Amino acid sequence: MVNGPALESSCLLRDPAPAAAGSYQGPVLLVAGGASPYVRAEDVQSMKVRFPKLRLLTIPGADHWVHVSAPQAFREAVAGFLRELFGP
């Protein structure tokens, strides 16, 4: 169940710019669901300002809760990313 009034009063939704400054220069993996409307191209561009090495991996057919709707694909994506960073 969603608490609509709490979400509507949240400063996170009223302020379009994040409060934090700076950026993270390390590798970042963003796993998005292909059936989710939440990660838009313009959002990814904004994220790349804060996370220049961001890599977007979209799992077709998965919804916003990728780890629930496509658990195997999600695990493989995260495991592959970690292997690239740290080896087998």
Side-chain angles (χ1 to χ4, degrees):
M1 176 166 259
V2 175
N3 186 343
L7 288 173
E8 290 173 1
S9 67
S10 170
C11 66
L12 295 174
L13 296 179
R14 283 184 274 130
D15 184 4
S23 63
Y24 173 69
Q25 299 301 314
V28 174
L29 176 65
L30 171 61
V31 182
S36 172
Y38 291 109
V39 180
R40 302 171 301 177
E42 58 267 25
D43 298 327
V44 173
Q45 292 309 311
S46 296
M47 289 178 211
K48 285 186 176 183
V49 171
R50 302 268 182 193
F51 307 100
K53 295 181 182 175
L54 180 130
R55 181 186 327 163
L56 172 64
L57 188 142
T58 302
I59 297 179
D63 63 19
H64 183 62
W65 286 19
V66 181
H67 63 291
V68 174
S69 61
Q72 185 62 33
F74 178 79
R75 282 191 298 269
E76 290 171 5
V78 172
F81 180 70
L82 293 173
R83 271 194 302 277
E84 287 177 25
L85 295 178
F86 303 109

